[in-house]
Amino acid sequence: MAGVISESVIKRLPRYYRFLGELKAEGKERISSKELSKRMGITASQIRQDLNCFGGFGHRGYGYNIEMLQTEIGQILKLDRPKKAILIGLGNLGRAVAMHMNFESKGFHLIGLFDAKESIVGQIVRNQPVRSTDTLDEFCRENLPEVAILCIPKEAAENISAQLIKLGIKAFWNFSHYDIAMHHPDVVVQNIHFSDSLMRLSFKMND
Amino acid sequence: MAGVISESVIKRLPRYYRFLGELKAEGKERISSKELSKRMGITASQIRQDLNCFGGFGHRGYGYNIEMLQTEIGQILKLDRPKKAILIGLGNLGRAVAMHMNFESKGFHLIGLFDAKESIVGQIVRNQPVRSTDTLDEFCRENLPEVAILCIPKEAAENISAQLIKLGIKAFWNFSHYDIAMHHPDVVVQNIHFSDSLMRLSFKMND
DNA sequence: TAGATTGTTAATCGATTAACAATC
DNA sequence: TAGATTGTTAATCGATTAACAATC
């Protein structure tokens, strides 16, 4: 069963989780891989293969119980595991991420906000004070966050990420263009690169 | 040469573009696929294969001219082609996207901002007034935007995307959870799903 | 029981890597 | 020329799809 899960499967898991949530909201109780495949636009084979990386969640002749399957995938994604996160950089983007994201539903607790700029430090965002990055060491030693969300420019990210790793940060949600994974192969990184995405859109546009 | 470019190659193009930009900034003139492969953490074979989807940009015994290669990739990505875009939804996220993104460097011109909320309409964001979504039809018929950036909830996205497609929108930069590509296979879509990305981060975290 | 649908193995397809002749 | 490095073909690897026996 388990073993190493391929990147391709990991990429699809949140989508399954979302679609199952919708089905649940519609009041449905069970669904077959065939029916789900139509809805999601992928093959039934792929759905069954993907799910069987983690165990046999279905019942022959019946399909999958929606509620149960969503719960299982939530556990596989570790959404139920509490994860302490800090966010660095409260410019437009950092502010939007802090205010807009539903962290709690994924098990993340945003326990600290930091910025280097004097004019931003002290502001209140999402009921929390923005702290100075000068206090990062002290804060991390006291509160032991595991995740850092980087909403800062490339240049700043280089130094801050090294500092954070020394302070015990094990995972990064990276909105900067600094390639953390390349420089620190030992930590977990998920990138969100707006401009890469926008360039891909540009490429795909028909003339 | 050309033909259909695989999704895997498309995904890597913006990263090439970025790395070449850095090399240029460092004042370098030429680079071999081997040297670039070390820097990017991928194989030299892959780099040469990727580039040869579009043409022979290198010189045997020399490598690639950095400036020239970046320009070529920029053209492949159509960054030089002007594209008129409108943005729908100026909540925290939409506001951040409008203010934070460098659209112009990718050939995008943000020509209109729209929101349904009475309290947001009329505000000035990035030197532009936020217009009412009631005026969307009129605005599109007059200004002919090709791209729409959706920073609105799933429920709103369903109706708005159908409306926009009728108004001639051919491409979506989609931050909502509405699956445009599934429902409208004829238009170009690039999704940015924050919560999917955060869930993948959660999955990859070691216990 | 008969029909439905899974879990799983085998076949196919596509993407990545390796190898090397061409050539600057 | 000799060394370097490409463009490109062939080999390998992995992911997707098809098929079907197991079984609810």
Side-chain angles (χ1 to χ4, degrees), chain A residues 39 77-78 182 202-203, chain B residues 39 77-78 182 202-203:
Chain A
R39 216 170 150 123
L77 290 167
K78 307 201 192 84
M182 271 280 304
S202 175
F203 175 83
Chain B
R39 216 169 150 124
L77 289 167
K78 305 198 192 89
M182 270 281 303
S202 175
F203 175 82

Side-chain angles (χ1 to χ4, degrees), chain B residues 53 56 62 67 83 103 117 127 129 169 180 201:
Chain B
C53 292
Y62 166 87
E67 171 108 45
K83 298 165 281 276
F103 287 105
K117 256 196 186 159
N127 302 318
I169 293 287
I180 303 176
L201 183 69

Side-chain angles (χ1 to χ4, degrees), chain A residues 98-194:
Chain A
M99 291 171 74
H100 171 270
M101 271 308 288
N102 187 344
F103 288 104
E104 305 294 329
S105 69
K106 283 126 210 139
F108 289 87
H109 300 284
L110 192 54
I111 61 166
L113 308 175
F114 295 86
D115 203 290
K117 257 197 187 160
E118 200 53 59
S119 57
I120 293 180
V121 172
Q123 289 181 10
I124 303 291
V125 177
R126 220 197 209 197
N127 301 319
Q128 287 188 52
V130 178
R131 299 162 201 273
S132 165
T133 43
D134 294 343
T135 66
L136 207 44
D137 286 47
E138 196 193 337
F139 183 92
C140 289
R141 275 194 288 270
E142 272 175 27
N143 299 285
L144 305 172
E146 310 151 76
V147 187
I149 305 166
L150 298 193
C151 300
I152 52 182
K154 188 169 181 294
E155 306 71 43
E158 182 166 351
N159 293 325
I160 290 264
S161 59
Q163 183 188 358
L164 288 167
I165 290 167
K166 276 196 209 123
L167 290 166
I169 292 288
K170 295 272 182 291
F172 288 88
W173 200 25
N174 180 36
F175 290 77
S176 87
H177 272 168
Y178 178 62
D179 209 314
I180 304 176
M182 271 280 304
H183 296 89
H184 303 280
D186 40 325
V187 297
V188 172
V189 182
Q190 258 302 296
N191 295 306
I192 293 197
H193 289 334
F194 281 71

